[in-house]
Amino acid sequence: MKRRLSLTIGMLSIMVLLLICSAHTAQAVRDALVLCAQSVVPALFPFFVLSSLFIDLGCAAVLGQTLAPFTRLLFGVSGAGGTAFLLGIIGGYPVGGRTVGELYLSGQCSREECERLLTFCNNAGPSFILGIAGLGCFGSVRVGAWLYLIHVGAAIIVGVLFHSKTPDVKPAPKTKLPQWTDAFISAMRSGAMSMVNICAFVAFFLVILRLISRLTGIQHGAILGIIELTNGILRLGCDRSGFIWSAGLLGWGGLSVHCQTAAVLQESGLSIKRYVIGKVLQAVISMVLAWPVSYFLP
């Protein structure tokens, strides 16, 4: 009863705060919608549709046969799992997580394998790292390229750390591939619903971020980036410290990204406990890798 009472008081307090700061929260939502329209949707929606088609039409299985010897040796996962890693480092958050969920639902990977895949397959894409972190924060594509290499390298290390020789649970029997038109319609519908969920999380967390900054005066990008990645990185300084923090935040992803990932995984029922552990490890490893590189940056 006390817990419910505390939760009720807390929720009512937040609602009152939103009313008091209604002008700021409304502007935050408008800014979030602009961000979604200009960056989030153009970057993610095509990859959501194509990743669904890639799996539904059997392309992941074909590529997986080629990748299987390498992915089993390096990560202890199937070749299909390797396609999730490739799509994740190309498409960006949360394409990798969504791909893992679809591999599980299609029966191409077991639950155990998919939950290990989540530890290293959900990553920031090159367009985000080069454009937002590289050019947006440091004004340099070269710096962005270094951040991307560090990001991918840290993800690979995490995948190796979570390597397991435990036999995979037998996947569900393969079903007949759908017609191209049916697969395309399903991919479009699924991608559109995923984008609605993601944009909702982006708007909500931007509101929370603005309220925290207004009430506490906290402006440091490293702290704000723990909650929302983009705004946190853009607030960092263009120096060695900013470079190291950028690498760490990119590896972590932010609470907003984690909620987006949980949303796209909801239908699969996969646990994200190991995913969160993997992101913490990736953040730490990224900062360790970034430290010596930072000495050679302009």
Side-chain angles (χ1 to χ4, degrees):
M1 184 65 183
K2 290 183 178 180
R3 181 181 178 184
R4 289 188 178 182
L5 180 60
S6 300
L7 180 61
T8 301
I9 293 173
M11 295 300 293
L12 287 174
S13 300
I14 295 174
M15 291 179 190
V16 171
L17 182 61
L18 289 174
L19 290 174
I20 294 174
C21 303
S22 58
H24 295 281
T25 56
Q27 184 58 48
V29 173
R30 283 192 288 268
D31 292 343
L33 292 177
V34 171
L35 175 64
C36 288
Q38 293 183 346
S39 301
V40 177
V41 175
L44 293 182
F45 182 65
F47 276 99
F48 276 2
V49 174
L50 290 174
S51 63
S52 291
L53 286 173
F54 197 77
I55 294 170
D56 292 343
L57 296 178
C59 300
V62 174
L63 181 59
Q65 293 177 357
T66 303
L67 294 176
F70 305 101
T71 56
R72 287 199 180 279
L73 177 64
L74 192 60
F75 302 127
V77 300
S78 65
T83 64
F85 177 70
L86 291 178
L87 290 173
I89 61 175
I90 296 172
Y93 292 124
V95 172
R98 186 173 183 270
T99 304
V100 172
E102 291 184 336
L103 287 173
Y104 176 65
L105 290 174
S106 66
Q108 297 184 47
C109 294
S110 69
R111 175 182 290 272
E112 167 64 22
E113 182 178 346
C114 285
E115 291 183 356
R116 282 194 290 115
L117 282 168
L118 287 174
T119 62
F120 65 97
C121 284
N122 201 42
N123 297 293
S127 60
F128 178 85
I129 296 179
L130 295 174
I132 302 298
L135 288 174
C137 182
F138 297 94
S140 170
V141 175
R142 177 169 170 261
V143 173
W146 273 112
L147 285 171
Y148 182 66
L149 291 174
I150 289 169
H151 186 68
V152 174
I156 292 174
I157 293 173
V158 171
V160 172
L161 291 176
F162 276 89
H163 188 291
S164 174
K165 296 186 181 300
T166 304
D168 290 327
V169 178
K170 185 178 180 180
K174 294 182 179 180
T175 57
K176 183 179 179 180
L177 295 178
Q179 294 293 325
W180 192 92
T181 51
D182 294 336
F184 181 70
I185 292 171
S186 176
M188 290 290 290
R189 184 182 295 116
S190 175
M193 289 304 300
S194 295
M195 288 312 312
V196 170
N197 287 329
I198 288 172
C199 290
F201 281 115
V202 170
F204 179 79
F205 275 94
L206 188 55
V207 169
I208 297 300
L209 203 68
R210 295 282 176 86
L211 288 177
I212 290 175
S213 296
R214 180 172 176 79
L215 294 176
T216 65
I218 295 175
Q219 299 292 331
H220 197 286
I223 298 175
L224 299 179
I226 294 175
I227 301 172
E228 204 284 315
L229 178 63
T230 304
N231 284 274
I233 285 181
L234 291 176
R235 291 172 184 261
L236 293 171
C238 303
D239 52 17
R240 287 186 59 240
S241 175
F243 179 79
I244 296 171
W245 278 117
S246 291
L249 290 177
L250 287 167
W252 165 243
L255 293 178
S256 177
V257 165
H258 300 339
C259 288
Q260 294 168 30
T261 304
V264 299
L265 288 171
Q266 189 174 29
E267 185 180 352
S268 70
L270 294 172
S271 171
I272 64 169
K273 291 181 180 179
R274 276 189 280 184
Y275 162 75
V276 175
I277 295 172
K279 299 315 292 181
V280 172
L281 280 174
Q282 188 173 350
V284 174
I285 293 170
S286 295
M287 295 182 75
V288 171
L289 295 177
W291 180 72
V293 174
S294 67
Y295 283 99
F296 300 96
L297 298 178

